[in-house]
Amino acid sequence: MQGNTLILILAATSVVAFFMGRARSLKLAGAPRIRGALHSLPGYYGYFTAIWCLLPALLVLSLWLSLESRLIIALLVEQLPAAQQALSAGELNLLLNNIQNLANGDAISGTADAMLQDAASRYSSYMIASRRLLAVVTLAVAGIGGVLAWRRVHPALRARNKVEQIVLVLLVAASSIAILTTIGIVLSVVFEALRFFQKVPLSEFLFGLNWSPQTAIRADQVGSSGSFGALPLFAGTLLITSIAMVVAVPVGLMTAIYLAEYSSRAVRAAAKPLLEILAGIPTVVYGFFAALTVAPWVRRAGEALGLEVASESALAAGLVMGVMIIPLVSSLTDDAINAVPSAMRDGALGLGSTRSETMRKVILPAALPGIVGGVLLAISRAIGETMIVVMAAGLAANLTANPFAAVTTVTVQIVTLLVGDQEFDSAKTLAAFALGLMLFTVTLSLNVVGLRVVRKYREQYE
Amino acid sequence: MLWGCAWCASIESSMSEVTRGKVSAGLARRRRKERLFRLCGMLATTVGIVFLVVFFADLIGKGSSAFRQTFLRLEISFDTAVIAPQGSIDLQYADFDLLARNALRDLFPDVSGRNPLRELNRLLSVGAGYQLRDMLQQDPGLLGSVQSVWLPASSSVDMLRKGNIDASIDAALRPISDAQLAWVAALQRDGRLELRWNRAFFSNGDSREPELAGIRGALMGSFYMLLVTLALALPIGVAAAIYLEEFAPRNRWSDLIEVNINNLAAVPSIVFGLLGLAVFINWATLPRSAPLVGGLVLALLTLPVIIIASRAAIKSVPPSIRDAALGLGASRMQVVFHHVMPLSLPGMLTGAIIGMSRALGESAPLLMIGMVAFIVDVPGGFSDPATALPVQIYLWADSPERAFAERTSAAIMVLLGFLMLMNLAAVVLRKRMEQKW
């Protein structure tokens, strides 16, 4: 039976359970023997029955599905001939893949010999048996749960309270998913990074000057011993981030000031949505624009000035990234400026300072913490930005501060190391997680500090 | 104003000549600075807008031609001897390409020899045969008849027709030979070459041949992914927001959740990709490249957006409504689900739409979980291998062929169109349902 049909049947069963529970409550309330009004509205008795019909069954279903493939594969391996059981983990994995593909009727590598055929047919029979059993067990659980709950329906049953308790538990569970996500991120990144640091010492990773993650597959291969000095990546990230900030901070700041202080209402009404469009363009689109339009411009401009410009220069990626971040800086600056009490502004203007003097000497200093917090958030955004640099920045790790040279960044390397098939035991793949750990740590601390500064400052004047 | 002038005069008399001199000496400089500052602000505002204009002009200039495609009109004779030598057509193995090649050859009877003929055949797309096969499949009665058919030309002919190939440069440097140039010119003279609506772009999956590559596969992949994302992120996000706003006690745990959500909203998306790779694919062994996994990752990514928007929506419902319901004897849960939630639903839905539009444009985490594969088939379910529209853009942007650059821009236009529709829907929803208390 397909999983979808099973879920549909479960849903239908719980709907039936709802009406049966509701009907029973009404019937009992009307029965002369029992007497007494219902504790809750009849619908709650229905929900009560339906929840007990659905929830345990769903729990069983999800547990079953998450454990099924492991159990079946363990069973399968146990029954393989001894020669195959002795294979290394990688080869065994390949064999199991072949068996599964053969069972599904897909193409396999190598020939389908008798052993493979045998295993494949065993695999499919296990799968079929498992699915049948699953359907029977889930429906049985649903039925038993429903019937038990149905029998408990009684006018004195505090159905509303019970239903509300369950709903509250569900609400709590939903809100803890945010925490689970953070824990998941930390665990998944830290574990793989720790495995990486067992192979490559932390000091080499942090301070090494040489990044070439290609490791040799065979022992006698030349030129690819793999070195994991990530300093050039950090330098490249820093270079592109600085270029982006050089564009985004002044432009974003001045835009916010102009729109808040100088522009007419009509200009503001037109400019703000336009800047919001800028914030809504997907990064892959920025990347395409940077790689195919801006990079050639930068190169031509550089050549006209007699400079040597790489076709994947840091400048092109940084410029476009800066434009992408303008709306973020300008909206956070806008918030900070608006949070400054108007008494300060009026006071400065009343004493005879010009509008720019008011802005530069009174409002901006007062709003500075908020603006700094916003800039920290913008830096974190630039460091974590992926698609623009993947498409427009280079792959070679150069340790340079020349904006016309090609540099690579942490995010670019994560993508290049992880795109394609990976094995989770090579230093090359694990290096991506070590870089991810660095990225997560740096952006998280920037975010925490930035958010705290922004919020604390906002409260100060309110 | 009269008393004002009197007041001025009294100040003037008390103010020393020195101070006045200082102020007026500096006035010009200060005014200049003021003007400069103002100019800087104006320039900064125009930077963003100029970028937008240049960007859209560049995009439309590059991409609008991809919606039209060069077709060749050929007199195809569905020759029984070619495609049905045994009397019936074998749709899988019959040589439909030969029909098109024969028709093309009939137009240029003086071309002979292996290499010139091959060059001639290259004017046609490799998709021509499939089109003929589909025609026959739909209408087997065509067998034996002669039909005038518009067949797709190859991408180099297409590029030449659209003026993207400079015919004047050295023949070795352009993807089209002198002989082919002459044939194309002859075909054009006969009115056999025409730019027509490019249906393949919307109905095909990816392809190595630019003239056959389409975005349907990527669109369907994005669609399935967003379905998963919406089904997970909307209920969970709304539930979390309700809990945090209405039920959570003010304690450390709630603070922790709150800080967490704000931070998650600012975590780089690629980190979510690492999470998806390590947890969903490596640990839970879900299938690689599947919209299911992409949807899961994007759900986690959009969850903070939806929670934050939903909380704002719930906050905007005035407490008097809650008090009234509580006063009439409703339980807290009834207050929330009967009154607060229906009233804040527009705000929540707006948040959900904005979250979905972010998910639609997201590509970095999808690269991590294997959605960058070259996939020709249009996905038909949640676990079929698929790509998403932004990833398709990334893949095409990497292709060296000139014709793919055009398609990339067109795909971007489609993507931006969808995003604009979603944002427009959010704005309309907000305007329509906004309630003033």
Side-chain angles (χ1 to χ4, degrees):
Chain A
M1 191 184 295
Q2 287 292 308
N4 292 341
T5 23
L6 190 56
I7 287 176
L8 276 182
I9 291 177
L10 275 182
T13 322
S14 56
V15 170
V16 171
F18 172 84
F19 284 109
M20 284 180 67
R22 190 168 170 276
R24 182 176 161 91
S25 76
L26 285 172
K27 195 178 143 223
L28 287 181
R33 243 177 338 109
I34 291 175
R35 247 169 244 267
L38 289 173
H39 168 268
S40 314
L41 292 170
Y44 281 104
Y45 294 93
Y47 286 128
F48 176 76
T49 325
I51 286 176
W52 278 106
C53 172
L54 189 63
L55 269 190
L58 277 184
L59 213 65
V60 168
L61 181 70
S62 52
L63 262 179
W64 190 291
L65 285 180
S66 61
L67 293 177
E68 181 186 50
S69 64
R70 279 160 212 253
L71 281 178
I72 287 182
I73 281 179
L75 263 176
L76 203 61
V77 171
E78 207 166 83
Q79 295 188 5
L80 283 176
Q84 268 74 33
Q85 282 194 34
L87 287 174
S88 74
E91 285 170 314
L92 191 62
N93 219 345
L94 196 68
L95 183 71
L96 288 172
N97 254 336
N98 265 340
I99 293 172
Q100 285 172 5
N101 285 347
L102 192 63
N104 294 338
D106 292 342
I108 60 161
S109 62
T111 51
D113 54 11
M115 187 273 296
L116 216 54
Q117 295 280 11
D118 187 35
S121 66
R122 215 155 348 108
Y123 175 79
S124 13
S125 68
Y126 283 154
M127 281 305 275
I128 292 170
S130 158
R131 285 296 149 95
R132 278 192 189 143
L133 203 59
L134 170 67
V136 171
V137 168
T138 335
L139 290 179
V141 169
I144 291 171
V147 166
L148 285 184
W150 183 75
R151 289 182 48 152
R152 281 189 60 195
V153 169
H154 187 274
L157 177 74
R158 299 164 68 81
R160 178 177 60 75
N161 306 50
K162 294 207 181 285
V163 169
E164 289 186 351
Q165 262 169 19
I166 295 169
V167 172
L168 189 64
V169 169
L170 290 181
L171 292 184
V172 173
S175 69
S176 6
I177 285 194
I179 300 226
L180 284 183
T181 310
T182 311
I183 294 175
I185 288 177
V186 171
L187 286 187
S188 59
V189 175
V190 165
F191 264 120
E192 312 294 345
L194 281 181
R195 281 169 67 195
F196 172 73
F197 290 129
Q198 280 165 5
K199 292 173 196 257
V200 178
L202 181 62
S203 58
E204 191 201 320
F205 177 72
L206 284 183
F207 304 112
L209 296 180
N210 202 354
W211 175 268
S212 68
Q214 291 307 325
T215 33
I217 297 170
R218 298 190 315 274
D220 55 340
Q221 249 173 343
V222 233
S224 47
S225 55
S227 54
F228 294 94
L231 206 57
L233 309 189
F234 300 148
T237 310
L238 201 64
L239 178 63
I240 292 186
T241 305
S242 333
I243 297 172
M245 284 302 123
V246 165
V247 175
V249 171
V251 173
L253 199 65
M254 289 308 291
T255 304
I257 290 173
Y258 183 77
L259 290 182
E261 201 67 17
Y262 289 101
S263 72
S264 65
R265 194 174 286 251
V267 170
R268 198 176 315 143
K272 277 208 167 164
L274 282 177
L275 286 176
E276 272 169 29
I277 292 183
L278 219 50
I281 296 176
T283 53
V284 66
V285 177
Y286 277 113
F288 174 73
F289 188 67
L292 267 84
T293 308
V294 179
W297 284 348
V298 167
R299 200 160 83 160
R300 251 175 278 144
E303 274 165 1
L305 294 172
L307 292 166
E308 195 178 317
V309 183
S311 60
E312 297 183 314
S313 61
L315 193 58
L319 284 178
V320 173
M321 197 190 278
V323 172
M324 182 193 81
I325 294 174
I326 289 174
L328 181 66
V329 175
S330 89
S331 81
L332 287 169
T333 308
D334 197 42
D335 288 351
I337 289 177
N338 282 331
V340 176
S342 56
M344 289 171 80
R345 185 166 157 275
D346 297 344
L349 287 173
L351 285 173
S353 41
T354 61
R355 283 210 270 192
S356 67
E357 281 164 351
T358 312
M359 189 46 84
R360 276 185 293 130
K361 297 192 174 147
V362 178
I363 298 182
L364 282 187
L368 195 62
I371 294 173
V372 170
V375 170
L376 286 184
L377 292 181
I379 292 178
S380 140
R381 178 90 187 274
I383 290 178
E385 173 45 47
T386 309
M387 292 319 288
I388 295 180
V389 280
V390 164
M391 295 170 83
L395 286 175
N398 291 327
L399 190 56
T400 172
N402 176 8
F404 299 109
V407 295
T408 189
T409 71
V410 173
T411 46
V412 173
Q413 288 305 316
I414 294 178
V415 169
T416 35
L417 291 177
L418 286 186
V419 167
D421 275 335
Q422 315 98 8
E423 342 116 68
F424 266 82
D425 46 5
S426 80
K428 187 182 150 208
T429 308
L430 295 176
F433 283 89
L435 289 175
L437 179 63
M438 294 299 299
L439 183 68
F440 183 64
T441 323
V442 171
T443 51
L444 187 70
S445 23
L446 282 173
N447 291 341
V448 169
V449 174
L451 281 174
R452 181 158 297 179
V453 169
V454 166
R455 173 162 319 161
K456 197 170 181 183
Y457 178 71
R458 211 178 279 151
E459 280 160 7
Q460 202 178 319
Y461 283 116
E462 266 165 11
Chain B
M1 282 295 113
L2 258 178
W3 66 269
C5 276
W7 180 73
C8 282
S10 74
I11 293 278
E12 237 165 81
S13 63
S14 68
M15 202 164 141
S16 75
E17 284 297 310
V18 184
T19 321
R20 229 164 43 172
K22 260 190 193 165
V23 171
S24 52
L27 215 51
R29 190 174 46 83
R30 284 172 63 199
R31 293 224 169 104
R32 209 166 47 240
K33 269 195 174 169
E34 168 78 21
R35 276 197 300 273
L36 196 68
F37 193 73
R38 194 193 166 111
L39 191 72
C40 281
M42 215 136 78
L43 279 179
T45 314
T46 39
V47 165
I49 292 165
V50 164
F51 178 89
L52 260 186
V53 171
V54 170
F55 167 76
F56 276 104
D58 181 64
L59 188 69
I60 292 169
K62 270 189 187 142
S64 55
S65 56
F67 295 111
R68 294 173 76 73
Q69 172 81 24
T70 311
F71 281 80
L72 260 174
R73 185 165 55 87
L74 291 177
E75 260 50 69
I76 303 285
S77 80
F78 291 94
D79 195 347
T80 322
V82 175
I83 46 172
Q86 270 95 43
S88 67
I89 327 168
D90 181 356
L91 283 170
Q92 198 134 27
Y93 293 109
D95 193 354
F96 295 99
D97 283 322
L98 191 58
L99 294 178
R101 287 206 298 268
N102 285 342
L104 193 58
R105 209 172 152 181
D106 290 344
L107 288 178
F108 301 102
D110 46 339
V111 178
S112 64
R114 208 176 145 80
N115 280 333
L117 271 177
R118 191 179 286 168
E119 269 185 41
L120 182 64
N121 293 336
R122 284 218 186 107
L123 294 182
L124 271 173
S125 160
V126 293
Y130 297 116
Q131 188 182 329
L132 295 177
R133 185 192 66 190
D134 293 345
M135 283 177 69
L136 268 182
Q137 197 163 12
Q138 267 175 15
D139 183 9
L142 288 175
L143 193 62
S145 68
V146 176
Q147 302 282 331
S148 176
V149 184
W150 286 100
L151 290 173
S154 72
S155 72
S156 44
V157 173
D158 186 45
M159 286 294 105
L160 181 72
R161 176 73 178 72
K162 287 172 180 166
N164 290 331
I165 293 176
D166 185 3
S168 62
I169 58 172
D170 187 41
L173 295 176
R174 51 179 145 86
I176 197 159
S177 71
D178 289 329
Q180 283 175 324
L181 275 181
W183 293 325
V184 170
L187 285 169
Q188 183 125 32
R189 260 199 317 277
D190 295 352
R192 290 183 175 276
L193 210 58
E194 202 172 89
L195 279 177
R196 297 166 69 97
W197 171 246
N198 186 0
R199 231 186 60 205
F201 185 68
F202 293 98
S203 61
N204 285 7
D206 198 4
S207 170
R208 292 279 182 231
E209 308 297 327
E211 73 273 10
L212 297 178
I215 55 169
R216 192 180 158 82
L219 270 179
M220 290 313 285
S222 277
F223 173 73
Y224 285 122
M225 233 164 44
L226 287 192
L227 227 52
V228 175
T229 307
L230 189 67
L232 287 173
L234 184 60
I236 294 179
V238 168
I242 287 177
Y243 176 73
L244 290 175
E245 277 301 316
E246 298 284 335
F247 295 102
R250 292 273 150 250
N251 59 14
R252 283 228 161 153
W253 180 249
S254 317
D255 282 352
L256 186 67
I257 294 181
E258 186 150 2
V259 170
N260 233 303
I261 288 168
N262 286 335
N263 277 323
L264 274 184
V267 166
S269 58
I270 189 173
V271 174
F272 283 93
L274 289 176
L275 169 79
L277 178 61
V279 172
F280 296 138
I281 290 186
N282 201 28
W283 182 71
T285 59
L286 290 171
R288 205 176 273 278
S289 309
L292 178 66
V293 184
L296 281 171
V297 171
L298 292 181
L300 294 181
L301 194 77
T302 48
L303 203 52
V305 180
I306 295 182
I307 293 180
I308 291 171
S310 302
R311 289 188 70 174
I314 293 173
K315 246 184 219 153
S316 71
V317 175
S320 58
I321 300 228
R322 296 184 184 84
D323 295 344
L326 282 173
L328 287 174
S331 72
R332 281 176 73 195
M333 205 59 89
Q334 285 170 330
V335 172
V336 170
F337 283 97
H338 295 176
H339 302 281
V340 178
M341 207 170 93
L343 287 175
S344 52
L345 206 60
M348 292 173 171
L349 289 182
T350 313
I353 294 176
I354 289 172
M356 286 303 112
S357 77
R358 245 188 77 180
L360 176 59
E362 197 56 74
S363 40
L366 303 181
L367 303 184
M368 307 277 93
I369 54 170
M371 296 194 78
V372 280
F374 171 71
I375 290 154
V376 177
D377 294 329
V378 174
F382 294 106
S383 51
D384 289 355
T387 53
L389 193 49
V391 181
Q392 187 71 71
I393 290 169
Y394 165 69
L395 284 171
W396 280 352
D398 257 8
S399 305
E401 284 105 327
R402 181 71 181 73
F404 269 121
E406 175 193 87
R407 261 141 225 278
T408 317
S409 301
I412 288 176
M413 283 158 76
V414 173
L415 176 64
L416 290 181
F418 274 110
L419 290 178
M420 272 177 194
L421 270 184
M422 289 169 94
N423 281 301
L424 206 68
V427 170
V428 168
L429 195 66
R430 198 181 295 162
K431 281 259 157 67
R432 265 274 177 90
M433 314 281 270
E434 199 174 45
Q435 207 152 359
K436 289 270 182 286
W437 301 102

